[in-house]
Amino acid sequence: MKTIALTGTILACWLTTAYSQDKPLMRVREQQAAAASTERATKPVVPEGNFKKTTLTRDFISEGAAVADLNKDGKMDIVAGYYWFEAPNWTRHEIAPSRTYDPRKEYSDSFLNMGMDVNQDGWDDVVIIDFPGKPGFWFENPKNNATGESTPGEWKKHILANSMGIANESPGFIDIDGDGRLDILCGDKDKKQIVWLKAPSKPGETAWIRYPLSKENVPGTEIFSHGIGFGDINKDGFNDVVIREGWFEGTADKKSGNWVFHPANLGEPCSHMQILDVNGDGKNDVVSASAHALGVWWHEQITDEQGQINFKTHLMSNTTAQTHSSIMADLNGDGQKDYITGKRFLAHHGRDPGDSDPAILMWFEFTPGKEPYYKEHIIDTDSGSGLNITVHDMNGDRKPDIIVANKNGVFLLENKIKK
C-alpha cells in the first residue's frame, strides 16, 4: 500500500478522468457539484432525527463495513477492514496487522467488507475486497481465540478465485444462484469478463468458484469501472445483470456462460445499481447514484415498437456528490424496500468538487403510481458511506440499522423511524 500512497496524487487525477468516457459531460457534472456545494454552504442540509448515531472510531481504516458474530456470543459485531468492534461496547480488535490511513493522502487496503461463515464451520469469517484490480480475500475465524485477548489466534488469509484481480468498483454481495449463501458479482480485470464468484458450498471447503457470464472483453470490466446490479429487467423470471453500458440476460443455468448482452444507456459512472419498478407501470427500472460527480437517478424502462428495451434517465437528487455505494432495505416498515446511499467522504482526498462537503447519508422512499415516485430523507450529515453499506437489525427491535465506514470513520446508525 506504500506505493499507492506515494502515487496518490497521480492516481487520483487519473481516476477523475477515467470515471467517464464523456469528458465534457464530466466537466458539467463537476461544475454542478461545485454549484451544489456552494448552495449547501448557504442552505445547510438538516437530518430528520430518525436515527441514533454511534461513532465507533474517527480513524480511517476501511471504505467498507460489515457485521458478523465473530466471537459467537450471540451479539453482532462490526467489521471495518482488518479490525472488528466487539458488541456491545465496540471494543476494537485486530484481525491482522494494519494501521490507520491518512484520509487526505492515502487509499486503504479495504474497499468492501462482508461477514459470513465461508467454510461453514459454525464461525463467521470476514471477506475483504481490496484496492481495485487486486485479488479479494477472506480471513478465517480462529474460533475460540477470536477476541484476541490473552492468546491471540491467527486469522488465516485465503485468496478468492485463484488470485483473480477484481475489477469494477461496485462489486455486489448477492445470492446469485439462490442457495441461501451470498456470492460476489464483479469484473475480472484479466479476462475482461463479468463474473460471479460462488461461495464454498460444502463444509470445510475454502475455494470460491469463478463463473463468467459471457465471452471475454465485455464492457464494465476495467479496473476502475463503476456500476453493477442484479435483478429481473425483462420480467422473464430470471435475474439479469446490469452495468452502465447495458444488461446481461439471465438464464435458468447461472453457470452456463452464455448470458446474452443487450447494449443500453444506463447513465454515468455510478455505485451499486438497484432494479425495481419505480413508477408502478409493471416494468422494472434501474436506480443509480454518481460515484464521483453529482446526481442520483432513476432510469425508466421504455419499450419501443420492436420490443427493444431502452431507458430514459430522470434526476432524483443533487443533494450531495460522490455517492459511491447503495443498498435496498425497508427502513420505514411499509413493506417496500427503500434506497440508501451517501457521500464517500474525501473520495479522491478532497480534490474533486464537493469531495470534502459534509458527509451526508440519505434514503429514498418510493411511491409507485404517485409522482414524482420518491421522497428524499436525510439520515445524517457527518458520517456518509464508503464503498459498501451494510444493513442489519443490531438492537433487536426488528428495524434495519445502518453500518458504514469511510475516510470519516466507522459508524452505526440505529433506526428510530416510527411505523
Side-chain angles (χ1 to χ4, degrees):
M1 207 54 204
K2 291 183 179 179
T3 301
I4 293 172
L6 291 171
T7 59
T9 302
I10 298 173
L11 180 59
C13 293
W14 184 86
L15 289 176
T16 302
T17 58
Y19 289 130
S20 177
Q21 297 176 349
D22 188 339
K23 293 182 181 179
L25 178 59
M26 193 63 172
R27 283 195 290 271
V28 169
R29 295 298 184 224
E30 289 175 346
Q31 291 169 359
Q32 290 174 337
S37 177
T38 300
E39 182 178 353
R40 282 189 294 275
T42 57
K43 298 179 180 179
V45 176
V46 180
E48 296 180 353
N50 289 325
F51 287 80
K52 175 187 175 183
K53 182 173 72 175
T54 299
T55 301
L56 279 68
T57 181
R58 283 290 183 175
D59 291 341
F60 171 34
I61 55 178
S62 176
E63 294 275 13
V67 298
D69 182 4
L70 295 182
N71 56 355
K72 216 171 180 181
D73 64 352
K75 301 180 181 69
M76 297 302 288
D77 309 301
I78 292 176
V79 178
Y82 290 64
Y83 298 94
W84 67 281
F85 298 82
E86 182 182 355
N89 298 320
W90 311 122
T91 304
R92 180 163 157 177
H93 305 285
E94 192 175 62
I95 293 173
S98 188
R99 63 182 177 86
T100 297
Y101 298 91
D102 185 336
R104 291 191 175 272
K105 295 180 180 179
E106 298 178 288
Y107 297 100
S108 75
D109 288 327
S110 170
F111 269 49
L112 297 93
N113 296 172
M114 175 172 62
M116 69 178 293
D117 182 1
V118 176
N119 57 355
Q120 299 184 74
D121 63 354
W123 292 77
D124 285 342
D125 308 299
V126 173
V127 179
I128 294 180
I129 305 298
D130 205 328
F131 190 87
K134 296 175 69 174
F137 54 90
W138 65 279
F139 282 114
E140 183 178 350
N141 194 320
K143 300 179 182 178
N144 291 333
N145 290 327
T147 57
E149 291 297 337
S150 58
T151 55
E154 177 186 359
W155 290 70
K156 185 177 180 180
K157 183 177 180 180
H158 302 265
I159 299 297
L160 298 176
N162 298 321
S163 300
M164 182 197 85
I166 292 180
N168 195 307
E169 287 195 29
S170 303
F173 301 133
I174 302 165
D175 181 5
I176 301 293
D177 57 358
D179 67 352
R181 287 171 60 75
L182 293 177
D183 308 298
I184 300 174
L185 177 65
C186 61
D188 180 337
K189 79 174 183 69
D190 300 315
K191 295 294 184 68
K192 298 272 188 276
Q193 291 175 307
I194 299 295
V195 304
W196 64 281
L197 307 180
K198 179 176 173 55
S201 57
K202 297 179 180 179
E205 291 183 345
T206 59
W208 296 60
I209 303 175
R210 173 190 178 279
Y211 292 106
L213 300 189
S214 64
K215 63 182 181 180
E216 299 179 8
N217 298 313
V218 298
T221 55
E222 298 299 323
I223 294 177
F224 301 111
S225 291
H226 286 70
I228 197 168
F230 187 68
D232 190 356
I233 289 290
N234 57 355
K235 290 291 187 79
D236 65 353
F238 302 121
N239 284 325
D240 312 300
V241 170
V242 295
I243 57 174
R244 290 180 47 236
E245 297 85 353
W247 56 285
F248 294 86
E249 186 174 349
T251 65
D253 181 3
K254 308 301 180 188
K255 305 172 184 177
S256 65
N258 61 356
W259 299 40
V260 176
F261 181 66
H262 301 273
N265 181 3
L266 281 158
E268 301 174 35
C270 59
S271 50
H272 310 91
M273 306 170 80
Q274 309 295 343
I275 299 173
L276 64 150
D277 183 1
V278 173
N279 56 357
D281 66 354
K283 292 181 287 188
N284 274 337
D285 312 298
V286 179
V287 178
S288 65
S290 180
H292 288 286
L294 182 68
V296 177
W297 312 278
W298 72 279
H299 309 281
E300 180 182 6
Q301 184 178 149
I302 306 292
T303 306
D304 62 23
E305 295 179 354
Q306 289 73 40
Q308 180 71 31
I309 292 176
N310 296 297
F311 295 89
K312 180 180 179 181
T313 298
H314 305 271
L315 179 68
M316 290 173 58
S317 173
N318 60 4
T319 296
T320 187
Q322 322 287 329
T323 41
H324 210 304
S325 57
S326 77
I327 197 169
M328 301 291 294
D330 182 5
L331 293 179
N332 58 358
D334 65 355
Q336 180 169 288
K337 288 187 176 182
D338 309 297
Y339 178 82
I340 307 166
T341 188
K343 170 184 285 298
R344 180 186 174 194
F345 186 63
L346 297 177
H348 285 161
H349 307 137
R351 297 184 179 90
D352 295 338
D355 200 353
S356 56
D357 279 358
I360 291 172
L361 186 64
M362 55 190 181
W363 66 282
F364 293 81
E365 172 185 5
F366 292 104
T367 57
K370 182 181 179 180
E371 293 190 66
Y373 311 124
Y374 57 87
K375 181 180 180 181
E376 180 179 309
H377 302 271
I378 302 300
I379 297 172
D380 187 60
T381 57
D382 189 20
S383 53
S385 65
L387 272 294
N388 77 286
I389 302 169
T390 294
V391 292
H392 190 85
D393 179 6
M394 298 294 287
N395 54 17
D397 64 357
R398 299 184 180 181
K399 296 179 181 179
D401 305 306
I402 301 172
I403 302 92
V404 291
N406 60 19
K407 294 183 180 71
N408 200 29
V410 183
F411 306 92
L412 164 64
L413 295 110
E414 295 177 73
N415 185 353
K416 301 298 180 183
I417 297 174
K418 294 182 179 180
K419 296 183 180 181

